[in-house]
Amino acid sequence: MIKHLLYAFLFSLIFISSYENTTKVSLNARPISYPESWTLMQQLNWEKINLHYHYSPNIKNSIGFVYAKYDNEDEQLYAGQWNHLLFRKNEKKSQANLYSKLQLGQLDLEESDESYFHLDYQLSYDWETRRHFYAVSLGTTYDGPEESFTQNQSARIGIAPYLVDYGKLHTWLMLQFEHHPNEIDSDNRLIWTPLIRLFKGDVLIELGVNSNQKLLFNSIIRF
Amino acid sequence: MKNIFLILLFSCSSLLFAESFEADINIHVKGLVCDFCARSVEKTFGKLDSVEAIKVDLEAGVIYLDLKENQELNDEIIKKLIKANGYSLESIERNP
């Protein structure tokens, strides 16, 4: 347990001390599902609405399609995404994962009618017990040629206020942090979002309001 | 009145069934921490012809399997399925 907390701490240090530019932040729960299953993930936040539909042939990989519409910039993204489990450590009361997420696609700008090549790479670490949750995500995005490479960081901590058996309604209270260094003189430079996660069977829902009073609504359905 | 009696009878039988789950195999697993994990093993073992019922105890980290009559499930298959689902097998207990 101490080792995993140490990993989380090291990731946090990188997160805190990080970079100069950022745009797209993604901190999805469980980006790979159980073998031979489909997953639909939806995200709505201050920045965008995002749909991610993917198939997991095994526990190490998932491959799927992403569509995103950005709120303020009239941008639409069409991309393929490959998630890969690099590392998993199972303990009796905990599980830790390190995921790699690669996104390749096209970013369309509606106003100027231009399209750019899009690349996004995320490295995400999570550690959870039945009571506690910790996740950190670091990544880089390329939306050429103007924006070039940018970096992004996010982190999340959570606690389950009560424990119930499998199949019943699980509740998590969480706090998400996002760092957007490129948002100079903006309220979006550092955002924190308290949220509630509700989880039952194959369905997960998250609802929150961020420090700028913008809504966050995420959902995951497994098939 | 008859309906109330039937509802009570159904509720009691449900409770009785829940209490009377007698597992043939207890599989002790590491990494079983959330409902998605439980769902994963439930789906995998549920596909086996030999398995009658499954119960997952997240707190204890144990998967209980009730086998159909005259059916068997060997340790090698259990090990393979647990690994394929991303968990670590601790031990397998067989109940007489």
Side-chain angles (χ1 to χ4, degrees), chain B residues 54-66:
Chain B
I54 306 154
K55 191 178 166 189
V56 181
D57 185 338
L58 289 174
E59 189 56 37
V62 181
I63 303 159
Y64 300 98
L65 297 183
D66 182 19

Side-chain angles (χ1 to χ4, degrees), chain A residues 32-39 54-62 222-223, chain B residues 40 43-44 47 84-85:
Chain A
I32 300 172
S33 183
Y34 37 80
E36 298 174 8
S37 64
W38 291 88
T39 302
H54 66 80
Y55 176 71
S56 302
N58 50 54
I59 57 115
K60 289 258 182 188
N61 298 285
S62 78
R222 311 257 193 228
F223 307 97
Chain B
S40 163
K43 288 216 171 190
T44 301
K47 286 179 188 169
N85 275 272

Side-chain angles (χ1 to χ4, degrees), chain B residues 24-86:
Chain B
D24 295 306
I25 305 173
N26 306 348
I27 308 167
H28 297 258
V29 175
K30 284 182 181 176
L32 208 60
V33 292
C34 70
D35 256 33
F36 277 161
C37 310
R39 194 79 173 143
S40 163
V41 293
E42 190 183 62
K43 288 216 171 190
T44 301
F45 283 98
K47 286 179 188 169
L48 299 176
D49 290 338
S50 54
V51 173
E52 176 75 42
I54 306 154
K55 191 178 166 189
V56 181
D57 185 338
L58 289 174
E59 189 56 37
V62 181
I63 303 159
Y64 300 98
L65 297 183
D66 182 19
L67 300 183
K68 287 177 186 165
E69 225 172 296
N70 301 321
Q71 293 285 323
E72 287 182 5
L73 185 60
N74 70 47
D75 288 2
E76 284 310 307
I77 294 174
I78 294 171
K79 277 182 201 170
K80 195 176 150 191
L81 293 176
I82 293 296
K83 194 179 171 190
N85 275 272

Side-chain angles (χ1 to χ4, degrees), chain A residues 64-90:
Chain A
F65 178 74
V66 174
Y67 168 77
K69 182 160 176 58
Y70 293 87
D71 226 21
N72 301 325
E73 297 158 7
D74 286 330
E75 292 177 350
Q76 291 190 79
L77 172 71
Y78 303 90
Q81 182 163 333
W82 172 43
N83 298 329
H84 180 64
L85 176 67
L86 294 168
F87 164 85
R88 173 171 285 178
K89 180 69 180 170
N90 291 314

